[in-house]
Amino acid sequence: MQALYAQLLVGLINGSFYALLSLGLAVIFGMLNIINFAHGAVYMMGAFVAYFLLNLGGINYWWALLLAPIIVGIFGMILERTMLQWLTGLDHLYGLLLTFGIALIVQGVFQNYFGSSGLPYAIPDQLKGGMNLGFMFLPVYRGWVVVFSLVVCLATWFLIEKTQLGAYLRAATENPTLVRAFGINVPRMITLTYGLGVGLAALAGVLSAPINQVRPLMGADLIIVVFAVVVIGGMGSIMGSIITGFALGVIEGLTKYFYPEASNTVVFVLMVLVLLVKPTGLTGRAA
Amino acid sequence: MTTLTDDTLRVTPRAMRDELIAFTLMALLLASVPFTGVYPFFVMQALCFALLACAFNLLVGYGGLLSFGHAMFLGTAGYCSAHALKVWALPPELGILVGIAAAFVLSIITGFISIRRQGIYFSMITLALSQLLYFIYLQAPFTHGEDGIQGIPQGHMFGILDLSKPTVLYYVVLVGFLAGFLLIFRIINSPFGEVLKAIRENEPRAISLGYRTDQYKFLAFVLSGTLAGFAGALKVFVAQNASLTDVHWSMSGEVVLMTLVGGLGTVSGPVVGAFVIIAMQQYLAGFGQWVTVIQGSIFVVCVLTFRRGVIGEIAHYFRRSL
């Protein structure tokens, strides 16, 4: 039973990353109509920025949690202004290809300087150790990751679904021209949205640094699983991405306990099954 | 939604003539390779990828469906051919057929699943399916995991053509490539190809005209996947191994890059693109990981400023269809 709970916890943690990443993808897709293939690369950059902040600037984990998403988010906004912006009105496949190219560049540069092996990032002192919950031993940091990402996800959901700013955002997704006519700077909103989505990915990167080590390709393989998560969820709603993300993480964890051979493939198999039954995905709108 | 290529010209007798002249020139050029100083192994490898890129282009350039998992056909056909040749000791021609059959079956299954979603969802599904296969091949015993299937016997095709001789092998690969290329050329210029283009341009209108667009797209997917499998089976004879590299999703990315560089939706663009990219990898190998950066930069430059690709730009300049 101990092993089962441990795998469930791992599943919840992976689910947190899936949720944060697919949430960012959904936000970006909503506004820019682009599947951000660079999402894995910016997740990795988040982890690296945290690493640099600690080792070069002596800035601790807590500040990294705030600063890394801002720094990477600014990088994302520059990308949007200098490149993605020019794709407006083109087939959205070009967005995918452009962001894929960006991902290759970013990952290639990091691989050149840091190789492919992992760099360690220590768990902050305040979150070291563990708690005995009676039925299992919970490392504090892992519990923190799950709770913190849940809070961030819900805050993002609140921002988009319940606030004035979110209302503008959703309106601009539906009809940018009309929203512009009301005097709202839609291009600036698009840039900020891209920054927000990228920032969420970077935040996931910082959270993952102490668990998974900091590696140039840490996002490259993860992103494909996240794409599968997105296909299953359908990216129709913000809440949909969050729930699907966590649920699939847990299912993956359970598979690792009951039938480890399938743990790498279970998400993809689920994707196939969902598509056969419901081609639009669980919460999806028609493509 | 804007289309992928904004200036596809109508199929006129003149356009057909231009394309046939271009084809003849290409065939003559390639047939003369063994008489020049060019390293034949490099050209053979490039031809396999060129066929793969052409097959991929049939789907994206004419059907508007960007598959991001075409490596799965290349790799699956490669593994199945290699297994048939080495373990079952089949002659080369049957080994190739096994590979093609495997890609055919795989494309039916994956096509059935993926064709139900459009646009970027389609891309993501094909990507996820190919990653699923990657993990299966990583664990399946017959692929020998990280080692791959190595030391594949080349054998005698039809009992007479000794494939271990480089020149014989070169012409076999060349004939295979030209056959595949002509088939794709024929498909593009058939009524089926015209409908496919109509679907790419405006799917709702094609539906309202009474076409069952899903069936056309499905058929295009199966044709493209099977031809990609043919490329994979040929590649086994050139490389004499089948490995995980061919199924990994980065290979799918390379195929996209080749097609994009050469020109999406042009007949001969993918061939040029494949030669450019393979030559680049050959000569830039010393730069190590910088090759990834260079490839990424080419992606970015192509998408931002050079969307028609090499052949597309030339064709646009001369107002011809190539």
Side-chain angles (χ1 to χ4, degrees), chain A residues 54-73:
Chain A
L54 184 68
N55 288 292
L56 301 178
I59 297 166
N60 68 20
Y61 174 83
W62 303 101
W63 279 104
L65 222 42
L66 177 71
L67 290 176
I70 293 177
I71 293 169
V72 180

PDB file of all heavy atoms in Angstrom, chain A residues 54-73:
ATOM      1  N   LEU A  54      19.943  31.185  -8.270  1.00  0.00           N
ATOM      2  CA  LEU A  54      20.511  30.655  -7.036  1.00  0.00           C
ATOM      3  C   LEU A  54      22.034  30.655  -7.097  1.00  0.00           C
ATOM      4  O   LEU A  54      22.717  31.112  -6.179  1.00  0.00           O
ATOM      5  CB  LEU A  54      19.986  29.235  -6.793  1.00  0.00           C
ATOM      6  CG  LEU A  54      20.434  28.611  -5.476  1.00  0.00           C
ATOM      7  CD1 LEU A  54      19.795  29.342  -4.311  1.00  0.00           C
ATOM      8  CD2 LEU A  54      20.066  27.139  -5.431  1.00  0.00           C
ATOM      9  N   ASN A  55      22.585  30.151  -8.215  1.00  0.00           N
ATOM     10  CA  ASN A  55      24.020  29.924  -8.264  1.00  0.00           C
ATOM     11  C   ASN A  55      24.831  31.143  -8.675  1.00  0.00           C
ATOM     12  O   ASN A  55      26.007  31.234  -8.345  1.00  0.00           O
ATOM     13  CB  ASN A  55      24.332  28.751  -9.194  1.00  0.00           C
ATOM     14  CG  ASN A  55      23.912  27.437  -8.550  1.00  0.00           C
ATOM     15  OD1 ASN A  55      24.487  27.010  -7.566  1.00  0.00           O
ATOM     16  ND2 ASN A  55      22.872  26.837  -9.089  1.00  0.00           N
ATOM     17  N   LEU A  56      24.236  32.030  -9.425  1.00  0.00           N
ATOM     18  CA  LEU A  56      24.975  33.220  -9.838  1.00  0.00           C
ATOM     19  C   LEU A  56      24.622  34.432  -8.984  1.00  0.00           C
ATOM     20  O   LEU A  56      25.461  35.261  -8.680  1.00  0.00           O
ATOM     21  CB  LEU A  56      24.719  33.539 -11.309  1.00  0.00           C
ATOM     22  CG  LEU A  56      25.093  32.428 -12.300  1.00  0.00           C
ATOM     23  CD1 LEU A  56      24.759  32.846 -13.723  1.00  0.00           C
ATOM     24  CD2 LEU A  56      26.575  32.096 -12.190  1.00  0.00           C
ATOM     25  N   GLY A  57      23.324  34.534  -8.614  1.00  0.00           N
ATOM     26  CA  GLY A  57      22.917  35.727  -7.889  1.00  0.00           C
ATOM     27  C   GLY A  57      22.637  35.468  -6.413  1.00  0.00           C
ATOM     28  O   GLY A  57      22.352  36.389  -5.671  1.00  0.00           O
ATOM     29  N   GLY A  58      22.688  34.200  -6.006  1.00  0.00           N
ATOM     30  CA  GLY A  58      22.381  33.870  -4.626  1.00  0.00           C
ATOM     31  C   GLY A  58      20.940  34.164  -4.240  1.00  0.00           C
ATOM     32  O   GLY A  58      20.620  34.389  -3.079  1.00  0.00           O
ATOM     33  N   ILE A  59      20.079  34.172  -5.249  1.00  0.00           N
ATOM     34  CA  ILE A  59      18.667  34.462  -4.970  1.00  0.00           C
ATOM     35  C   ILE A  59      17.941  33.154  -4.711  1.00  0.00           C
ATOM     36  O   ILE A  59      18.060  32.211  -5.500  1.00  0.00           O
ATOM     37  CB  ILE A  59      18.053  35.223  -6.165  1.00  0.00           C
ATOM     38  CG1 ILE A  59      18.766  36.565  -6.320  1.00  0.00           C
ATOM     39  CG2 ILE A  59      16.561  35.424  -5.972  1.00  0.00           C
ATOM     40  CD1 ILE A  59      18.493  37.238  -7.627  1.00  0.00           C
ATOM     41  N   ASN A  60      17.204  33.092  -3.613  1.00  0.00           N
ATOM     42  CA  ASN A  60      16.679  31.793  -3.192  1.00  0.00           C
ATOM     43  C   ASN A  60      15.437  31.369  -3.965  1.00  0.00           C
ATOM     44  O   ASN A  60      14.908  32.095  -4.805  1.00  0.00           O
ATOM     45  CB  ASN A  60      16.422  31.786  -1.681  1.00  0.00           C
ATOM     46  CG  ASN A  60      15.273  32.711  -1.304  1.00  0.00           C
ATOM     47  OD1 ASN A  60      14.445  33.071  -2.143  1.00  0.00           O
ATOM     48  ND2 ASN A  60      15.243  33.114  -0.049  1.00  0.00           N
ATOM     49  N   TYR A  61      14.975  30.163  -3.644  1.00  0.00           N
ATOM     50  CA  TYR A  61      13.839  29.526  -4.304  1.00  0.00           C
ATOM     51  C   TYR A  61      12.594  30.404  -4.303  1.00  0.00           C
ATOM     52  O   TYR A  61      11.893  30.516  -5.304  1.00  0.00           O
ATOM     53  CB  TYR A  61      13.572  28.203  -3.588  1.00  0.00           C
ATOM     54  CG  TYR A  61      12.336  27.457  -4.036  1.00  0.00           C
ATOM     55  CD1 TYR A  61      12.369  26.655  -5.159  1.00  0.00           C
ATOM     56  CD2 TYR A  61      11.140  27.553  -3.314  1.00  0.00           C
ATOM     57  CE1 TYR A  61      11.247  25.959  -5.569  1.00  0.00           C
ATOM     58  CE2 TYR A  61      10.014  26.867  -3.723  1.00  0.00           C
ATOM     59  CZ  TYR A  61      10.067  26.075  -4.844  1.00  0.00           C
ATOM     60  OH  TYR A  61       8.952  25.397  -5.239  1.00  0.00           O
ATOM     61  N   TRP A  62      12.311  31.040  -3.168  1.00  0.00           N
ATOM     62  CA  TRP A  62      11.060  31.798  -3.051  1.00  0.00           C
ATOM     63  C   TRP A  62      11.016  32.959  -4.018  1.00  0.00           C
ATOM     64  O   TRP A  62       9.989  33.248  -4.621  1.00  0.00           O
ATOM     65  CB  TRP A  62      10.860  32.266  -1.612  1.00  0.00           C
ATOM     66  CG  TRP A  62      10.866  31.089  -0.675  1.00  0.00           C
ATOM     67  CD1 TRP A  62      11.896  30.677   0.101  1.00  0.00           C
ATOM     68  CD2 TRP A  62       9.811  30.142  -0.519  1.00  0.00           C
ATOM     69  NE1 TRP A  62      11.549  29.527   0.765  1.00  0.00           N
ATOM     70  CE2 TRP A  62      10.278  29.183   0.411  1.00  0.00           C
ATOM     71  CE3 TRP A  62       8.529  30.018  -1.045  1.00  0.00           C
ATOM     72  CZ2 TRP A  62       9.493  28.106   0.805  1.00  0.00           C
ATOM     73  CZ3 TRP A  62       7.743  28.948  -0.647  1.00  0.00           C
ATOM     74  CH2 TRP A  62       8.235  28.009   0.265  1.00  0.00           C
ATOM     75  N   TRP A  63      12.166  33.645  -4.150  1.00  0.00           N
ATOM     76  CA  TRP A  63      12.216  34.742  -5.115  1.00  0.00           C
ATOM     77  C   TRP A  63      12.172  34.200  -6.540  1.00  0.00           C
ATOM     78  O   TRP A  63      11.573  34.808  -7.422  1.00  0.00           O
ATOM     79  CB  TRP A  63      13.470  35.590  -4.902  1.00  0.00           C
ATOM     80  CG  TRP A  63      13.284  36.571  -3.789  1.00  0.00           C
ATOM     81  CD1 TRP A  63      13.793  36.477  -2.525  1.00  0.00           C
ATOM     82  CD2 TRP A  63      12.501  37.765  -3.833  1.00  0.00           C
ATOM     83  NE1 TRP A  63      13.381  37.543  -1.775  1.00  0.00           N
ATOM     84  CE2 TRP A  63      12.584  38.352  -2.549  1.00  0.00           C
ATOM     85  CE3 TRP A  63      11.744  38.404  -4.814  1.00  0.00           C
ATOM     86  CZ2 TRP A  63      11.943  39.544  -2.229  1.00  0.00           C
ATOM     87  CZ3 TRP A  63      11.101  39.591  -4.504  1.00  0.00           C
ATOM     88  CH2 TRP A  63      11.201  40.148  -3.222  1.00  0.00           C
ATOM     89  N   ALA A  64      12.812  33.025  -6.743  1.00  0.00           N
ATOM     90  CA  ALA A  64      12.817  32.428  -8.074  1.00  0.00           C
ATOM     91  C   ALA A  64      11.390  32.118  -8.519  1.00  0.00           C
ATOM     92  O   ALA A  64      11.033  32.276  -9.685  1.00  0.00           O
ATOM     93  CB  ALA A  64      13.656  31.150  -8.076  1.00  0.00           C
ATOM     94  N   LEU A  65      10.591  31.685  -7.560  1.00  0.00           N
ATOM     95  CA  LEU A  65       9.201  31.354  -7.861  1.00  0.00           C
ATOM     96  C   LEU A  65       8.460  32.565  -8.429  1.00  0.00           C
ATOM     97  O   LEU A  65       7.549  32.428  -9.250  1.00  0.00           O
ATOM     98  CB  LEU A  65       8.522  30.899  -6.559  1.00  0.00           C
ATOM     99  CG  LEU A  65       7.580  29.710  -6.580  1.00  0.00           C
ATOM    100  CD1 LEU A  65       8.083  28.577  -7.424  1.00  0.00           C
ATOM    101  CD2 LEU A  65       7.325  29.241  -5.159  1.00  0.00           C
ATOM    102  N   LEU A  66       8.877  33.749  -8.007  1.00  0.00           N
ATOM    103  CA  LEU A  66       8.260  34.966  -8.521  1.00  0.00           C
ATOM    104  C   LEU A  66       8.992  35.490  -9.756  1.00  0.00           C
ATOM    105  O   LEU A  66       8.381  35.844 -10.765  1.00  0.00           O
ATOM    106  CB  LEU A  66       8.264  36.040  -7.421  1.00  0.00           C
ATOM    107  CG  LEU A  66       7.718  37.412  -7.833  1.00  0.00           C
ATOM    108  CD1 LEU A  66       6.210  37.340  -8.034  1.00  0.00           C
ATOM    109  CD2 LEU A  66       8.079  38.472  -6.802  1.00  0.00           C
ATOM    110  N   LEU A  67      10.350  35.506  -9.671  1.00  0.00           N
ATOM    111  CA  LEU A  67      11.146  36.160 -10.713  1.00  0.00           C
ATOM    112  C   LEU A  67      11.237  35.341 -11.999  1.00  0.00           C
ATOM    113  O   LEU A  67      11.151  35.893 -13.091  1.00  0.00           O
ATOM    114  CB  LEU A  67      12.559  36.447 -10.189  1.00  0.00           C
ATOM    115  CG  LEU A  67      12.655  37.534  -9.124  1.00  0.00           C
ATOM    116  CD1 LEU A  67      14.084  37.673  -8.616  1.00  0.00           C
ATOM    117  CD2 LEU A  67      12.167  38.864  -9.699  1.00  0.00           C
ATOM    118  N   ALA A  68      11.406  34.010 -11.884  1.00  0.00           N
ATOM    119  CA  ALA A  68      11.601  33.187 -13.089  1.00  0.00           C
ATOM    120  C   ALA A  68      10.420  33.312 -14.054  1.00  0.00           C
ATOM    121  O   ALA A  68      10.626  33.540 -15.247  1.00  0.00           O
ATOM    122  CB  ALA A  68      11.860  31.738 -12.703  1.00  0.00           C
ATOM    123  N   PRO A  69       9.171  33.194 -13.555  1.00  0.00           N
ATOM    124  CA  PRO A  69       8.064  33.372 -14.501  1.00  0.00           C
ATOM    125  C   PRO A  69       8.041  34.755 -15.127  1.00  0.00           C
ATOM    126  O   PRO A  69       7.710  34.886 -16.311  1.00  0.00           O
ATOM    127  CB  PRO A  69       6.820  33.157 -13.629  1.00  0.00           C
ATOM    128  CG  PRO A  69       7.284  32.327 -12.506  1.00  0.00           C
ATOM    129  CD  PRO A  69       8.688  32.765 -12.240  1.00  0.00           C
ATOM    130  N   ILE A  70       8.450  35.790 -14.357  1.00  0.00           N
ATOM    131  CA  ILE A  70       8.441  37.142 -14.924  1.00  0.00           C
ATOM    132  C   ILE A  70       9.516  37.256 -16.008  1.00  0.00           C
ATOM    133  O   ILE A  70       9.261  37.751 -17.115  1.00  0.00           O
ATOM    134  CB  ILE A  70       8.668  38.193 -13.813  1.00  0.00           C
ATOM    135  CG1 ILE A  70       7.467  38.200 -12.863  1.00  0.00           C
ATOM    136  CG2 ILE A  70       8.900  39.574 -14.415  1.00  0.00           C
ATOM    137  CD1 ILE A  70       7.604  39.133 -11.686  1.00  0.00           C
ATOM    138  N   ILE A  71      10.722  36.748 -15.702  1.00  0.00           N
ATOM    139  CA  ILE A  71      11.821  36.852 -16.676  1.00  0.00           C
ATOM    140  C   ILE A  71      11.470  36.087 -17.945  1.00  0.00           C
ATOM    141  O   ILE A  71      11.580  36.598 -19.064  1.00  0.00           O
ATOM    142  CB  ILE A  71      13.133  36.314 -16.052  1.00  0.00           C
ATOM    143  CG1 ILE A  71      13.580  37.234 -14.913  1.00  0.00           C
ATOM    144  CG2 ILE A  71      14.225  36.196 -17.116  1.00  0.00           C
ATOM    145  CD1 ILE A  71      14.697  36.676 -14.074  1.00  0.00           C
ATOM    146  N   VAL A  72      11.022  34.830 -17.786  1.00  0.00           N
ATOM    147  CA  VAL A  72      10.682  34.017 -18.953  1.00  0.00           C
ATOM    148  C   VAL A  72       9.460  34.612 -19.667  1.00  0.00           C
ATOM    149  O   VAL A  72       9.381  34.597 -20.897  1.00  0.00           O
ATOM    150  CB  VAL A  72      10.450  32.548 -18.550  1.00  0.00           C
ATOM    151  CG1 VAL A  72      10.094  31.713 -19.761  1.00  0.00           C
ATOM    152  CG2 VAL A  72      11.688  31.983 -17.892  1.00  0.00           C
ATOM    153  N   GLY A  73       8.546  35.141 -18.884  1.00  0.00           N
ATOM    154  CA  GLY A  73       7.369  35.774 -19.472  1.00  0.00           C
ATOM    155  C   GLY A  73       7.758  36.957 -20.357  1.00  0.00           C
ATOM    156  O   GLY A  73       7.214  37.141 -21.444  1.00  0.00           O
TER     157      GLY A  73
END
